[in-house]
Amino acid sequence: MGKLLEPIWGSKEFLKFIFIVNFLTSVCVFITAIALYYLTMQEKYLYMPLSGFHGVLAGFLVGIKQIVPDQELYLLKIKVKWLPSLMLLLSIAISFFTPESATYLPTLIFGTYIGWIYLRYLQRKPESKLRGDPNEDFAFSTFFPEFLRPIIDPIASIFHRMLCGKSEASSNPQGYTLGGAPLLGSDPIEASRRRERGARALEERLAAEKLAAGRDSEEPHIDGNDHV
């Protein structure tokens, strides 16, 4: 995932994303554990080991969803934009059968959400003077099936107003605003270019892997002929 995201974001932004998502995810998980302790008065929430990098990995899936949402996975025949949702759905399902895996759920959920918040509203792009990604294809409701979006959109709009300072209906036609300042990435042309770069980078990566696999398959044949 890093080989796809880092060339598009840049090394500095890539490391910044890792640090912010990992830090805020850890803070949210810690607060959740404390809250669960006070609600249930069960000490297991205080001593439960909570650690790992899987929150950042979940955030990476959100980044790939943003860059190449309509790219299809070669083997699974599903679009990339559904990867974060399927990951969370599978994790929740597994936690019902293996209770110990439930300890990973808060980190995965917060990693996905923090990653989306950062990319949607806060990420800076060197080629633009705005911030965030207001594209409708990257709205919070796109993590859910189509029939749930009429329910999700009104709830998500509340948090949108909290983060943007005004509703999308009354926002500047040129892009998002955050406390009166334009949000980066709200230019639809810039967002389209970013997606094109992501699709191109993914295609180049897949082509390189196929070429390497073809060379590896030819080497045993050549070695066999030399031996004969």
Side-chain angles (χ1 to χ4, degrees):
M1 289 189 286
K3 290 182 179 179
L4 174 62
L5 296 172
E6 186 178 3
I8 297 172
W9 290 350
S11 299
K12 183 178 179 180
E13 178 62 33
F14 184 71
L15 292 175
K16 182 181 177 183
F17 179 84
I18 291 175
F19 175 79
I20 291 176
V21 172
N22 200 43
F23 176 75
L24 293 181
T25 297
S26 300
V27 171
C28 291
V29 171
F30 175 77
I31 294 174
T32 300
I34 298 298
L36 288 173
Y37 166 71
Y38 280 109
L39 288 173
T40 64
M41 298 309 295
Q42 296 184 22
E43 292 188 357
K44 66 178 182 179
Y45 293 112
L46 295 179
Y47 301 106
M48 183 184 300
L50 297 170
S51 62
F53 197 66
H54 38 287
V56 176
L57 297 180
F60 283 164
L61 289 180
V62 178
I64 294 175
K65 168 187 171 72
Q66 178 198 35
I67 294 172
V68 284
D70 296 322
Q71 182 76 33
E72 278 195 356
L73 296 179
Y74 179 71
L75 296 177
L76 300 179
K77 299 296 182 182
I78 60 173
K79 291 187 177 181
V80 168
K81 65 181 180 181
W82 294 113
L83 285 182
S85 305
L86 291 175
M87 177 271 298
L88 289 177
L89 183 63
L90 182 62
S91 300
I92 293 171
I94 292 175
S95 67
F96 283 107
F97 301 99
T98 54
E100 62 274 7
S101 65
T103 58
Y104 296 99
L105 278 181
T107 307
L108 292 172
I109 293 172
F110 283 120
T112 301
Y113 188 63
I114 296 298
W116 177 79
I117 287 287
Y118 179 77
L119 295 174
R120 178 72 166 172
Y121 297 105
L122 303 175
Q123 188 185 46
R124 293 185 176 276
K125 296 289 192 305
E127 67 272 14
S128 175
K129 296 180 180 180
L130 304 174
R131 189 188 317 199
D133 184 357
N135 196 300
E136 285 300 317
D137 293 334
F138 195 55
F140 183 70
S141 59
T142 61
F143 288 86
F144 298 87
E146 191 74 32
F147 67 91
L148 290 177
R149 293 180 186 178
I151 303 173
I152 301 298
D153 280 331
I155 301 173
S157 65
I158 298 174
F159 295 95
H160 173 71
R161 285 193 292 269
M162 291 170 58
L163 288 167
C164 294
K166 56 177 70 177
S167 63
E168 189 170 352
S170 61
S171 62
N172 191 319
Q174 294 181 349
Y176 270 65
T177 60
L178 179 61
L183 285 171
L184 190 135
S186 45
D187 183 0
I189 297 176
E190 190 273 332
S192 176
R193 289 174 180 172
R194 185 169 62 249
R195 283 176 167 77
E196 289 176 2
R197 289 197 304 271
R200 191 161 55 246
L202 182 59
E203 290 174 0
E204 292 174 356
R205 176 65 182 163
L206 294 174
E209 290 178 352
K210 289 181 180 179
L211 181 62
R215 289 176 178 174
D216 292 341
S217 62
E218 290 177 359
E219 287 180 357
H221 179 69
I222 295 175
D223 293 342
N225 290 337
D226 293 342
H227 179 69
V228 172

